[in-house]
C-alpha cells in the first residue's frame, strides 16, 4: 500500500481577498501543510483558465453569477472570473509548502470546457494523466484536501475512486463554497460512490 496526497487548488483566488474566495479558506492552511509534511507523495492541482473561459459569468451576457446553464459539456455553474492563466490570483498560495510537490496538474485550460476534477475534463473526454501517474508510482490510497470541498475536491475524489483508488477526503483540511446545497450534494455523492471522509489527525500515511 502506498499513499498520495492531492492538494486541490490552494490558489490566491480561492483564499480571502481572491476573486472566488472560500470563506475562511485560509483556516485550512496549517492542516494542509502538516499533511504535506507527512505524505510520501504530493500532487497539487491548479485551476488554470484562459480569458473568456466558459465557467465565467462574464462570458455569458444576460446571465448572473452562480446561475446554472447548459453548455456543451453539461450543466455549468457561472463563476466570477478567477484563476486566469499567468495572473497572481492563479498562483499556488505561498502559504502552502509547495516545494515538496512531486507534480502539479493544471486543469480547466480549454476555453470551452471546465474541469473541476484533476483527473478528467467536465466533458469526460480529455484525461490529465494523473491516474496513470499515480498508478505508475504504485499508489493505492489517495487523500484529497484543499479548495473547494464541494467542487474541485469532490470531483477529484469521485474520479479517484472511479479510477480504482481507495479514496478519502480530508474534511478539516478542505473548505467549501456551499452554493445551492452543493456541500450536502457532494457528501451524498461520496457516500453513494465510496469516497470516505477522514479528519487530518486520523490520517496515517503509508
Ligand atoms: C473551483 C469553482 C470554479 C474549485 C474551481 O477549485 O473548487 N470552484 N473553479
Ligand atoms: Zn475554475
Amino acid at each position: 500500500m502506498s499513499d498520495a496526497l492531492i492538494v486541490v487548488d490552494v490558489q490566491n483566488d480561492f483564499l480571502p481577498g481572491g476573486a472566488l474566495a472560500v470563506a475562511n479558506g485560509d483556516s485550512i492552511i496549517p492542516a494542509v501543510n502538516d499533511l504535506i509534511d507527512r505524505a510520501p507523495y504530493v500532487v497539487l492541482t491548479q485551476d488554470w483558465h484562459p480569458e473568456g473561459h466558459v465557467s465565467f459569468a462574464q462570458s455569458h451576457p444576460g446571465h448572473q453569477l452562480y446561475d446554472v446553464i447548459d453548455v456543451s459539456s453539461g450543466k455549468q455553474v457561472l463563476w466570477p472570473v478567477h484563476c486566469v492563466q499567468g495572473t497572481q490570483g492563479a498562483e499556488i498560495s505561498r502559504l502552502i509548502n509547495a516545494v515538496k510537490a512531486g507534480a502539479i496538474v493544471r486543469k480547466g485550460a480549454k476555453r470551452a470546457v471546465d474541469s473541476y476534477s484533476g483527473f478528467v475534463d467536465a466533458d469526460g473526454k480529455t484525461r490529465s494523466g494523473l491516474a496513470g501517474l499515480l498508478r505508475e508510482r504504485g499508489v493505492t490510497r489517495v487523500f484529497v484536501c484543499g479548495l473547494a470541498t464541494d467542487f474541485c475536491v469532490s470531483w477529484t475524489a469521485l474520479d479517484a475512486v472511479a479510477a480504482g483508488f481507495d479514496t478519502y477526503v480530508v474534511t478539516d483540511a478542505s473548505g467549501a463554497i456551499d452554493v445551492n446545497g452543493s456541500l450536502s450534494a457532494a457528501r451524498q455523492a461520496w457516500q453513494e460512490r465510496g469516497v470516505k471522509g477522514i479528519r487530518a489527525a486520523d490520517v496515517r500515511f503509508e
Side-chain angles (χ1 to χ4, degrees), residues 1-8 39-43 45 119 130-131 133-135 138-145 153 155-170 194-198 203 205-206:
M1 185 156 67
S2 175
D3 295 341
L5 175 70
I6 304 179
V7 180
V8 173
Y41 184 61
V42 178
V43 176
T45 70
F119 288 92
L130 177 55
L133 171 66
L134 296 175
R135 267 187 220 119
V139 169
T140 52
R141 284 202 311 183
V142 168
F143 294 84
V144 189
C145 67
V153 169
W155 285 54
T156 298
L158 291 167
D159 284 340
V161 84
F165 299 103
D166 189 14
T167 304
Y168 295 80
V169 171
V170 189
V195 171
K196 292 159 273 190
I198 191 169
V203 175
F205 285 115
E206 297 191 24

Side-chain angles (χ1 to χ4, degrees), residues 94-113:
R94 298 181 64 123
L95 299 174
I96 69 161
N97 180 17
V99 172
K100 235 195 95 178
I104 300 176
V105 174
R106 287 177 168 163
K107 60 190 182 59
K110 274 191 222 155
R111 193 177 307 264
V113 191

Side-chain angles (χ1 to χ4, degrees), residues 4-11 14 41-49 83 85 90-92 98 101-109 115-121 126-134 137 147 152 156 159:
L5 175 70
I6 304 179
V7 180
V8 173
D9 297 4
V10 184
Q11 293 167 257
F14 295 121
Y41 184 61
V42 178
V43 176
L44 309 182
T45 70
Q46 187 172 24
D47 214 35
W48 193 248
H49 301 311
C83 297
Q85 296 169 0
E91 291 299 305
I92 304 281
I104 300 176
V105 174
R106 287 177 168 163
K107 60 190 182 59
S115 188
Y116 292 148
S117 165
F119 288 92
V120 61
D121 285 355
T126 311
R127 302 195 59 89
S128 67
L130 177 55
L133 171 66
L134 296 175
R137 297 191 61 99
L147 302 170
C152 293
T156 298
D159 284 340

